Structures are given as structure tokens and as C-alpha cells.
Amino acid sequence: MSEALHELGRFAEPSLYILVALSEGPRHGYAIMSDVEMISGRPMGAGTLYGALARLERRGLIQALEPQERRRPYKLTAFGARTLEGQLSRLRSFADTGLARLRGRTT
Amino acid sequence: MSGLLRLYPRFWRERYGEEFEALLADRPPTLRHRLDIIRGALDARLHPEIVDPSHQLDRWWLAPLLGFAVFIVALALVATGPVHYDAYGSYRDGSAAALPWLAAMLLLLTGIARIAMRAPEGASATKVAGSIAVASGLLFSLSPWASVLSLTFFGAIIAMMVGATRAHVIPAWIPVLLGIALLPVVLAFATTLLLPWYTLREADVSPLLVFVPLGMMWPIVTLGLLVGSPIRRPGSTLAVV
């Protein structure tokens, strides 16, 4: 996992889902939660969501936009997009290696 | 405001409170998600610097928490000390608990001093009460049987806590909780001050009546530091909480 995400501890995995949810465009909390649930198959609690959002914002991976009514959208920053791309590439490489080894396994 | 949102520190609510409430209105939390929010609130209190870098890292709540563990050790040493017999009957020698008791009190006083230090500069009465609490607490730890010292100590802690509440350093329920916990102890010490010592002895007051409420001071001071507002560095643009 990239350094920026790795240092997030228990928030590293939720943060990765959030970055993926924001990769299509700005979203507010409820939309992020719904998208993360669709991607991961598991609902994310509001406590985890905002713990991760605060950390991502503090590290400059996402940026808060002007609130629309009471809902504040967040968008991926250029640094966040680079971090996400690097992380997903590493995960793809990891998955490819794992699958290749599984296929070559003698039964 | 949602009860769950109140668990978060004020500076956190100022930043995320509105959107957080909108989210909870859109998607009412299940029991599992309520637990997740409680965990998130604890995280926000333990890591205030994530939301506002002007907050200093504050781990002083560990001092009274450690003091509570040492207090339990002291109680265990008292309860298991050797039994001696003299002309007045039998008694249990708890001298082995003297050092742990002193250590527990020093850790408690550290926590009390830290709460007083969190009060803003204008809250001089709170700081004076905190100083009296620490000074009388030091003397009380050396001679816990001295009723005047103990009553001064308890009174000063309560006064400091009330002042800290008024200065928005700790929530109002902390001094209320402390007052309820200390009431039996204050009554017990006041009784020894007002009545001849043998009255209390013959009444056979259980030590639990004193030690259990007295021991509540450590977790209450820990809570006060944990849920209270951390000290902020000068220059913060957020309102003082």
C-alpha cells in the first residue's frame, strides 16, 4: 500500500474505497457511503467514513467543496488521483501474481 | 443535535457536524453503525490534530488511568496484608500499600493539574482551586486519615471541576458525577471530624463505603481529560471550546 495510505492504519482500506468512489467525480457523504457499499459489498459506518475523510483531507488526497444545502461534496485532488492510481496498479500486480501462481499450482 | 454527534468534540462538530447530521438523516444508523460512530467519536477525541492541527497532542488522561490501576493494586495490598493482634483487637497491616497509594495519588494529581491548566487564562478561580486541590492532595496522600485535609482536597477538586465546566474545559456532568461519587466519602470524613472517633469505629462502617467512591476519582478525572477540550496552540482560528 502506498505510504500516504499505509500510514492511515485501520482507515487505510476504507480510504482506498473512498478514493475510488471519488474517482468519478465529487460526491457527498451519503453518495460516498452508497458507492462504497456497492464496490465493497459491505456498508461503511458514518464514524469510519468521517474518520477516513478527515485523514484524507488532512493529507491533501481529497478536497472539501462548498456545501450544497447541508451536504458537503468532496473531490479527489491531483495528488489523491496519483496516489490512487499507484495503489491500484500495485493491487493489480499483486492480484496478477497471485492468480498466476494459483493457475500454476500442482493439484 | 443528534445524541451521537454530541459524543464528538466541539471543534469536530464545527467542521463536520452539519454534513454528518445530514448523513444520519439520510441514512439512520443501525445498532452496528451506532457503535461505529461511538468508535469514530473516540478516535476524534484521541486524534484531534487530524481535524485541527492547532490542537496539541494530549495524552495526559493516561496518568489518572494508570493511577487507577495503581490504586487497585494498593487496595489489593491492604486487603491481603498480614493480620496483627493488639490490646484493642485485630487489624490488617496495609503498610505495603503506602507507596502504591502515594504513586496513585501523584498520578491523580497530575490529571487534576492538567484539567486546571486547560482553563483559559481568565479563569483564575479555577486555577487557584486546582492549585489548592494539588497542594491539599499532596498532604492528603501523606496523611489520608486527616479529615480537614481530605475535606479541603475534595472541596477544592469539586470547585476546580465546576470552574472548568464554566470555562467549557469539561462537560457539566463530570463535576456532578464526582460530587455523587465523593458524597459518601465526604460524609464519612465529616463524621470523624464532628463525632468522637469511637462512634465511627463502633458503627463499623465498611471500608468499601469510603474506598469505592474514593477510587471513582481516578476514572472521573480520566474521563474529564478524555472528553474535555484539549489545550490549543495560540493562533487557532476556531472558537475556544
Side-chain angles (χ1 to χ4, degrees):
Chain A
M1 198 162 276
S2 73
E3 198 55 38
L5 289 179
H6 181 70
E7 64 189 22
L8 297 181
R10 79 172 179 94
F11 290 98
E13 191 187 339
S15 296
L16 184 61
Y17 285 125
I18 292 169
L19 292 179
V20 171
L22 295 177
S23 60
E24 274 190 338
R27 285 195 163 102
H28 55 69
Y30 178 72
I32 295 172
M33 269 176 105
S34 304
D35 202 45
V36 167
E37 189 171 351
M38 194 192 73
I39 299 167
S40 68
R42 282 179 302 173
M44 179 185 281
T48 301
L49 173 69
Y50 274 89
L53 283 177
R55 284 167 170 81
L56 291 170
E57 193 181 0
R58 176 102 173 86
R59 285 168 172 77
L61 295 163
I62 63 169
Q63 184 189 342
L65 302 174
E66 280 303 306
Q68 296 164 353
E69 295 179 1
R70 296 170 68 206
R71 292 162 184 81
R72 185 190 292 274
Y74 292 85
K75 75 166 190 178
L76 204 60
T77 62
F79 174 54
R82 281 199 307 277
T83 304
L84 176 62
E85 194 174 353
Q87 181 61 20
L88 293 177
S89 298
R90 271 185 289 277
L91 284 174
R92 183 167 58 190
S93 167
F94 171 68
D96 288 347
T97 305
L99 287 169
R101 287 184 183 181
L102 264 177
R103 286 190 200 108
R105 193 172 65 146
T106 52
T107 52
Chain B
M1 187 195 298
S2 156
L4 288 167
L5 185 58
R6 283 183 197 279
L7 297 173
Y8 282 86
R10 184 175 291 188
F11 66 89
W12 192 98
R13 296 197 303 261
E14 284 168 0
R15 169 62 186 85
Y16 293 109
E18 204 166 353
E19 54 184 295
F20 194 77
E21 274 204 308
L23 176 67
L24 297 186
D26 287 339
R27 192 167 183 160
T30 60
L31 178 63
R32 189 167 148 240
H33 285 171
R34 283 175 186 272
L35 293 175
D36 180 72
I37 291 169
I38 292 168
R39 198 178 173 196
L42 186 65
D43 170 68
R45 290 188 179 280
L46 292 177
H47 303 286
E49 75 285 358
I50 288 166
V51 175
D52 180 5
S54 69
H55 279 99
Q56 289 178 358
L57 287 175
D58 196 334
R59 301 278 183 272
W60 288 93
W61 54 271
L62 284 167
L65 187 65
L66 178 64
F68 185 55
V70 180
F71 175 75
I72 299 292
V73 170
L75 270 191
L77 287 171
V78 168
T80 57
V83 178
H84 292 292
Y85 298 90
D86 61 15
Y88 298 99
S90 65
Y91 67 94
R92 202 174 276 281
D93 182 5
S95 56
L99 274 180
W101 159 256
L102 195 59
M105 278 300 294
L106 288 176
L107 288 164
L108 174 74
L109 295 174
T110 304
I112 289 169
R114 192 65 185 171
I115 291 178
M117 283 166 67
R118 285 179 173 182
E121 285 189 14
S124 49
T126 305
K127 290 183 185 293
V128 168
S131 304
I132 294 172
V134 170
S136 57
L138 277 172
L139 296 171
F140 169 71
S141 59
L142 295 170
S143 50
W145 52 85
S147 300
V148 175
L149 280 178
S150 64
L151 292 175
T152 307
F153 175 48
F154 299 143
I157 296 181
I158 295 281
M160 188 275 285
M161 292 284 199
V162 170
T165 296
R166 290 168 66 92
H168 304 290
V169 170
I170 52 171
W173 52 267
I174 293 282
V176 172
L177 207 60
L178 189 67
I180 293 169
L182 286 182
L183 190 63
V185 191
V186 169
L187 287 177
F189 277 104
T191 308
T192 60
L193 196 66
L194 298 172
L195 300 174
W197 66 272
Y198 54 80
T199 308
L200 194 65
R201 189 184 175 97
E202 290 182 0
D204 196 23
V205 173
S206 167
L208 286 177
L209 194 67
V210 172
F211 285 117
V212 172
L214 188 69
M216 293 312 294
M217 280 196 301
W218 281 265
I220 292 171
V221 171
T222 303
L223 272 176
L225 285 163
L226 201 54
V227 303
S229 304
I231 292 174
R232 308 174 73 116
R233 289 196 184 100
S236 168
T237 51
L238 292 173
V240 173
V241 289

